[in-house]
Amino acid sequence: MLIARLIADPQNLETRLDAASAALEAEGMPVAAAVMLDFCGDVLQIMLPEGDPATLRRVLDAHFAPSDLLVSAQEIEVPKLFVSDMDSTMIGQECIDELADFAGLKEHVAAITERAMQGELDFASALVERVGLLAGLPEETIATCLSERIRPMEGARTLVATLKAKGCHTVLVTGGFHHFADPVAEQLGFDQVVGNRLAVSDGALTGGLVGAITDSSVKRQVLLDEAARLGESATSLATGDGANDIPMIEAATWGLAYRAKPKARSAADGWIDRGDLTSILSLFGIPRDEWVAA
């Protein structure tokens, strides 16, 4: 059984569903049932007895974009583990780009960041290059950047608080830095943080890092390790937006791409392109009256 849960523009929804069903029939994937979920009224659930998940995502994207979508080959339930990227996923900024602005280097650093997130550059080498450009920047600039520039993505607090209330363990894992991730995690309510550490000497950034780099392989391993700790039956959800999130997204029971780069989007089980982060709660069948205000 394949299950798709979809949130899209309600206008002409039935007409578009008919067209999508015909397209799926032509692919040899007949729709068994399509209903609006009683407990999440804006969510359309489509069920098919069999088929290819990638084909289902492609057809639904063609008929309903922009949408919020989750495709699953198993029953959808609230996950026991939630692992998320930070920059441009849980917060609306790329921390290193904003920090670079204080050094007058934002345009240059942001261009490298974009290429790394698109998967055009090796993440680790791109990170080392960008951090090196920040050498000499006063450490106190980070606090200024946090207070003036860094803001949670809409719905982030409610998403984390609600999942935790449902018994989900939450981990913020980032290719960014603990200087930013620790306060962001505290603000949003994450249980655990994994990230990189900026080297500091005499009150200024040295342009280096302390310890091993948190890259795509580390993100994936964090998800696998935490899932194993919770037990082999524990289901997991991963969210991210860039190429370095792909291994983590693919390793999770359900991987969702949030306003993502094309490579990350195509690797995921679904995406959030239309709503804010609370759309994830609806896709997992959590009614609005059970959301935790934060």
Side-chain angles (χ1 to χ4, degrees):
M1 175 71 73
L2 272 182
I3 302 169
R5 288 184 178 174
L6 174 79
I7 305 171
D9 187 341
Q11 187 172 1
N12 300 321
L13 189 66
E14 188 171 343
T15 300
R16 284 179 286 144
L17 176 59
D18 288 343
S21 297
L24 288 167
E25 182 86 33
E27 296 276 0
M29 296 171 56
V31 171
V35 297
M36 302 301 293
L37 293 184
D38 291 338
F39 45 87
C40 292
D42 57 348
V43 178
L44 172 65
Q45 178 165 285
I46 302 169
M47 291 171 286
L48 299 85
E50 60 184 0
D52 174 52
T55 300
L56 179 55
R57 294 194 301 269
R58 173 176 55 80
V59 171
L60 294 179
D61 196 24
H63 289 85
F64 293 99
S67 68
D68 301 330
L69 175 72
L70 174 62
V71 171
S72 178
Q74 66 184 70
E75 289 295 328
I76 297 172
E77 61 182 25
V78 177
K80 298 299 183 185
L81 172 65
F82 174 48
V83 180
S84 180
D85 176 44
M86 180 176 71
D87 295 49
S88 298
T89 303
M90 286 294 120
I91 59 174
Q93 300 75 35
E94 293 286 335
C95 290
I96 194 167
D97 296 355
E98 298 304 322
L99 193 57
D101 197 24
F102 288 88
L105 295 168
K106 183 174 183 178
E107 185 174 337
H108 178 54
V109 169
I112 300 171
T113 300
E114 178 65 16
R115 292 187 64 197
M117 293 303 98
Q118 293 282 4
E120 298 172 4
L121 297 175
D122 173 71
F123 176 81
S125 59
L127 179 66
V128 169
E129 179 183 356
R130 287 174 290 162
V131 171
L133 293 170
L134 301 179
L137 196 67
E139 184 181 16
E140 63 188 20
T141 306
I142 295 173
T144 303
C145 185
L146 265 167
S147 64
E148 294 183 359
R149 305 286 184 89
I150 307 305
R151 298 291 181 268
M153 200 69 80
E154 187 175 353
R157 291 188 185 92
T158 296
L159 171 63
V160 176
T162 303
L163 289 177
K164 288 178 66 175
K166 296 291 182 180
C168 182
H169 181 68
T170 58
V171 185
L172 187 66
V173 57
T174 177
F177 315 112
H178 275 279
H179 276 88
F180 290 94
D182 289 347
V184 166
E186 183 176 1
Q187 184 180 18
L188 299 183
F190 278 89
D191 297 309
Q192 184 179 343
V193 187
V194 178
N196 295 301
R197 295 192 181 277
L198 291 165
V200 178
S201 180
D202 298 324
L205 304 187
T206 68
L209 295 164
V210 178
I213 291 177
T214 298
D215 60 7
S216 61
S217 64
V218 173
K219 288 186 170 190
R220 177 180 182 273
Q221 195 60 49
V222 166
L223 183 140
L224 294 175
D225 289 347
E226 288 302 308
R229 184 182 64 81
L230 293 170
E232 62 180 43
S233 63
T235 52
S236 57
L237 165 65
T239 59
D241 73 300
N244 67 322
D245 297 313
I246 291 174
M248 172 179 78
I249 285 171
E250 292 179 332
T253 310
W254 301 288
L256 282 174
Y258 183 79
R259 306 291 171 94
K261 306 297 187 291
K263 287 184 179 179
R265 190 178 187 271
S266 65
D269 297 305
W271 47 74
I272 306 298
D273 285 348
R274 185 172 181 269
D276 63 32
L277 286 167
T278 59
S279 289
I280 295 173
L281 299 175
S282 294
L283 292 175
F284 278 89
I286 302 175
R288 285 177 180 266
D289 61 7
E290 295 180 16
W291 295 4
V292 178

